[in-house]
Amino acid sequence: MLILRQLARYRFLRSSHIAALVGRSLDRVNDRLCRLYHAGYVDRPRAQLDYYPTAGSAPMVYALGDLGAQLLTEGGAEFANLEWSRKNREAGRPFIEHQLEIVEFHIALERSTRGRSDVRLIHPEEIIASSPERTCKKRNPFALRAAISQGEPAHDLAVVPDLVFGLMFPDGSRRCFMVEIDRGTMPISRSDFRQTSFERKMHAYLTAYSQGQHTKQFGWKALRVLVVTTNQQRTRSMIERLQQLNVPESPGPSLFFFALADELQRNDPLAHNWQDGGGRATRLR
């Protein structure tokens, strides 16, 4: 059941992720996953086969199967629908890879905070549970809406973070974060503001903050947006565009912290020196 719950929570997981989350050896987890797969409780998304010929013996990616969802439902879990196998078949390779990168970061946070007395990880489920009732009832409670005046008419945008978490400290204080995992596929800026770009996404975060959406939706006094991206040149370009944005009553460039994905794979995300939008080194705690 623990494996099934983790798959329901994260959607896609490598066998190595599951071993880390359930605290078992990889061999033992692989044996269990094989049994669950052949029994129909877990699924192996076919899209991952696209990159096996070049990726070598990468750990297998798993997802919840229809029987696994039914079993969790009998235990009290609630799902919008139980057609998980169909959804797994429809998931494309870019989507799966993006989800796995989100999982990598979340698991790194769990490892960093596990067993510590000086900081506790606040998971997304806990954030929703402690939010106002109107937030809990939303289809996507973490979506931040922002009305941006960029010429006429104004643009009503919604920005949805890849991950939301908090850090709780012994004195009861906390720091809250939204995370963007950037794979380098979205243009940093476009001449047409109506088209998606990372600049437009940053503008939406700044505007939502200036309009107090984080306080209205979650009761937070403040938040920071973490951007995990691909290389230093892309980071510099993001910061250059960020520093040109002028959104009154927002924190400005300091709202964003930047780090490279390959550096975070080698370092504890809490101890890592992130770079804020002003070019200063900073840490999450």
Side-chain angles (χ1 to χ4, degrees):
M1 288 289 284
L2 182 55
I3 289 177
L4 299 181
R5 290 192 189 100
Q6 296 296 343
L7 287 171
R9 179 183 186 188
Y10 289 101
R11 181 66 194 280
F12 298 108
L13 289 171
R14 295 192 187 279
S15 56
S16 53
H17 295 149
I18 296 171
L21 289 167
V22 303
R24 298 289 187 271
S25 71
L26 183 57
D27 286 343
R28 185 174 176 182
V29 166
N30 278 333
D31 179 69
R32 185 61 175 165
L33 285 168
C34 186
R35 295 171 183 270
L36 289 170
Y37 170 71
H38 289 293
Y41 290 97
V42 304
D43 198 4
R44 295 171 178 165
R46 292 189 58 82
Q48 68 183 297
L49 300 178
D50 294 344
Y51 55 82
Y52 264 155
T54 57
S57 56
M60 184 73 74
V61 178
Y62 286 89
L64 192 65
D66 291 346
L67 288 181
Q70 292 175 18
L71 184 61
L72 290 177
T73 301
E74 292 170 4
E78 295 182 5
F79 301 112
N81 66 71
L82 296 179
E83 296 182 342
W84 286 70
S85 294
R86 178 183 59 80
K87 293 191 296 181
N88 296 335
R89 289 194 300 271
E90 294 173 352
R93 173 182 167 181
F95 177 76
I96 292 175
E97 289 183 337
H98 187 223
Q99 292 301 116
L100 291 174
E101 291 186 20
I102 296 170
V103 169
E104 288 278 0
F105 185 73
H106 200 173
I107 290 177
L109 289 170
E110 291 204 7
R111 285 173 170 166
S112 179
T113 55
R114 187 176 296 164
R116 293 175 59 162
S117 60
D118 61 330
V119 61
R120 181 177 70 83
L121 181 63
I122 306 174
H123 291 283
E125 299 88 347
E126 184 178 349
I127 292 172
I128 294 300
S130 62
S131 297
E133 184 178 357
R134 62 180 179 275
T135 299
C136 300
K137 291 182 176 180
K138 289 184 177 181
R139 181 178 180 182
N140 194 332
F142 288 127
L144 293 179
R145 303 204 68 85
I148 300 178
S149 298
Q150 190 80 2
E152 294 294 338
H155 298 274
D156 185 20
L157 302 180
V159 60
V160 182
D162 290 322
L163 176 66
V164 179
F165 73 95
L167 298 175
M168 179 72 75
F169 302 100
D171 62 0
S173 63
R174 64 182 180 179
R175 300 193 74 182
C176 302
F177 302 91
M178 292 186 168
V179 183
E180 289 289 336
I181 304 294
D182 170 63
R183 304 184 64 241
T185 56
M186 178 182 289
I188 293 176
S189 62
R190 292 180 187 260
S191 57
D192 187 345
F193 189 77
R194 292 171 298 180
Q195 295 180 303
T196 58
S197 69
F198 207 84
E199 178 183 5
R200 190 177 84 153
K201 184 174 289 191
M202 293 189 294
H203 200 156
Y205 273 116
L206 288 167
T207 303
Y209 192 106
S210 72
Q211 296 169 355
Q213 295 301 326
H214 57 294
T215 304
K216 296 172 185 175
Q217 288 182 221
F218 313 112
W220 297 348
K221 294 181 180 179
L223 84 142
R224 289 295 180 265
V225 180
L226 307 183
V227 179
V228 181
T229 188
T230 55
N231 58 67
Q232 197 58 52
Q233 178 57 50
R234 189 166 172 84
T235 302
R236 285 194 294 268
S237 297
M238 287 179 174
I239 291 177
E240 287 173 4
R241 300 305 300 180
L242 173 60
Q243 292 178 344
Q244 295 175 26
L245 297 176
N246 180 24
V247 180
E249 299 184 50
S250 77
S254 64
L255 178 64
F256 297 88
F257 293 174
F258 297 85
L260 302 184
D262 60 349
E263 292 180 349
L264 288 177
Q265 288 176 359
R266 301 189 299 268
N267 298 309
D268 179 335
L270 298 192
H272 183 69
N273 282 326
W274 295 68
Q275 181 181 8
D276 75 5
R280 296 173 294 269
T282 187
R283 294 190 176 184
L284 303 190
R285 59 181 301 275

